[in-house]
Amino acid sequence: MANTSENSNPNGAMSFWDHLDALRATLVHITIVVVLATVVAFCLKDVLFGIVFAPKQADFVSYRLLEQISLWVTNGEGGLEPTNNVQIINTGLAQQFVFHFKVSFCAGIVVASPFIIYQLFAFIAPGLYQNEQKYAIRVATAGYVMFVVGLLLNYFLIFPLTYRFLSTYQVSDEVVNMISLESYIDTLVLLSLMMGIVFEIPVVSWILGKLGILKASIMRKFRRHSIVAVLVIAAIITPTTDIFTLLMVSLPMWLLYEASILLVARTGKA
């Protein structure tokens, strides 16, 4: 490869090879940080899986909070039905190691995500005007915050309630529930990812509104159609086929759509 200084534009603009070198450096930095975060998460196995398996425990914070709310609503006369911890089983010789690495990698991505976003922004920022950089910072920050909110909502509410309902549901007392490690981890990871993406709806709507592509009046006009679309999308992205999980995912999506209408209206695209 030729020297980058020889390929640089005389007026100071970066050449193709300069951009390629900058991108390579960015990807190397991101990879190093992700690998380090993954290794740390892998070494902290007890802490990591204590967090992962917390929603299956009967004393999980969400269950205790819902118990208090139930007692308050019923004036102390009722509450949530107690549930026994359902056993998680492993059915493959190498599965425990594989899922240990898989969960560690996911944790490494989550921990390194602020650095990843910063590196990507630092790469594209020189090609943006000052006002474009301002909007890019707002969009990146809002998108990241909303993604994290989606993850937290799933971890503390949607997944625990889904797990509680499905793991204790029985067609007969003759059938005992034992959940496989693969089923538990895959459901948690997929639901977390899907809810993080779903929570980007207001950010995407705001961008489209700013560009004049989307108008609040159109969103209001197709509100009934959006409810059907929400149910269809929720049915596609949910890893399980039960109606309970479908409704748990659909409700936040519908609320986000309503919030998106307000955001688009504020852009002046009524």
Side-chain angles (χ1 to χ4, degrees), residues 29-106:
H29 294 158
I30 291 175
T31 301
I32 291 174
V33 172
V34 170
V35 169
L36 289 176
T38 300
V39 171
V40 172
F42 191 89
C43 295
L44 298 175
K45 180 179 68 173
D46 293 339
V47 175
L48 179 63
F49 281 91
I51 296 173
V52 169
F53 290 131
K56 70 179 284 292
Q57 306 300 331
D59 61 347
F60 185 57
V61 59
S62 299
Y63 300 145
R64 289 190 277 113
L65 178 60
L66 291 173
E67 174 73 16
Q68 293 301 317
I69 294 175
S70 177
L71 291 173
W72 177 72
V73 171
T74 61
N75 294 320
E77 296 180 359
L80 293 178
E81 289 292 330
T83 178
N84 296 323
N85 292 330
V86 178
Q87 186 177 7
I88 302 293
I89 62 172
N90 177 54
T91 58
L93 179 62
Q95 270 192 336
Q96 294 207 47
F97 177 80
V98 170
F99 279 101
H100 183 189
F101 176 79
K102 180 178 180 179
V103 173
S104 299
F105 179 70
C106 291

Side-chain angles (χ1 to χ4, degrees), residues 173-231:
D173 292 337
E174 301 295 325
V175 182
V176 179
N177 285 334
M178 289 190 296
I179 311 301
S180 71
L181 177 65
E182 179 180 11
S183 176
Y184 183 93
I185 298 295
D186 285 349
T187 302
L188 175 60
V189 171
L190 188 56
L191 267 180
S192 298
L193 178 61
M194 290 300 101
M195 290 309 301
I197 294 175
V198 162
F199 267 70
E200 300 299 322
I201 292 176
V203 179
V204 174
S205 298
W206 181 83
I207 294 174
L208 295 178
K210 273 291 185 180
L211 295 175
I213 300 175
L214 192 62
K215 294 184 178 181
S217 58
I218 296 178
M219 298 181 71
R220 294 190 187 99
K221 179 180 179 181
F222 290 97
R223 180 179 272 123
R224 293 182 180 179
H225 301 80
S226 69
I227 296 176
V228 177
V230 162
L231 291 173

Side-chain angles (χ1 to χ4, degrees), residues 9-25:
N9 194 310
N11 62 12
M14 294 178 65
S15 69
F16 170 78
W17 297 113
D18 292 329
H19 283 294
L20 193 62
D21 285 339
L23 177 60
R24 180 176 61 185

Side-chain angles (χ1 to χ4, degrees), residues 1-10 15 17-18:
M1 180 183 295
N3 190 289
T4 55
S5 62
E6 297 176 359
N7 293 281
S8 297
N9 194 310
S15 69
W17 297 113
D18 292 329

Side-chain angles (χ1 to χ4, degrees), residues 93-170:
L93 179 62
Q95 270 192 336
Q96 294 207 47
F97 177 80
V98 170
F99 279 101
H100 183 189
F101 176 79
K102 180 178 180 179
V103 173
S104 299
F105 179 70
C106 291
I109 291 289
V110 172
V111 171
S113 55
F115 179 79
I116 295 173
I117 294 175
Y118 170 76
Q119 285 291 309
L120 293 177
F121 179 78
F123 173 72
I124 66 173
L128 302 176
Y129 293 109
Q130 186 173 2
N131 63 325
E132 292 175 335
Q133 290 184 10
K134 179 182 67 174
Y135 281 114
I137 292 174
R138 289 181 181 178
V139 170
T141 302
Y144 180 75
V145 169
M146 292 301 292
F147 190 87
V148 172
V149 170
L151 293 182
L152 294 177
L153 179 66
N154 177 68
Y155 180 78
F156 285 104
L157 185 62
I158 295 177
F159 178 75
L161 293 182
T162 299
Y163 175 83
R164 181 188 179 97
F165 173 77
L166 295 180
S167 65
T168 58
Y169 183 84
Q170 291 178 282

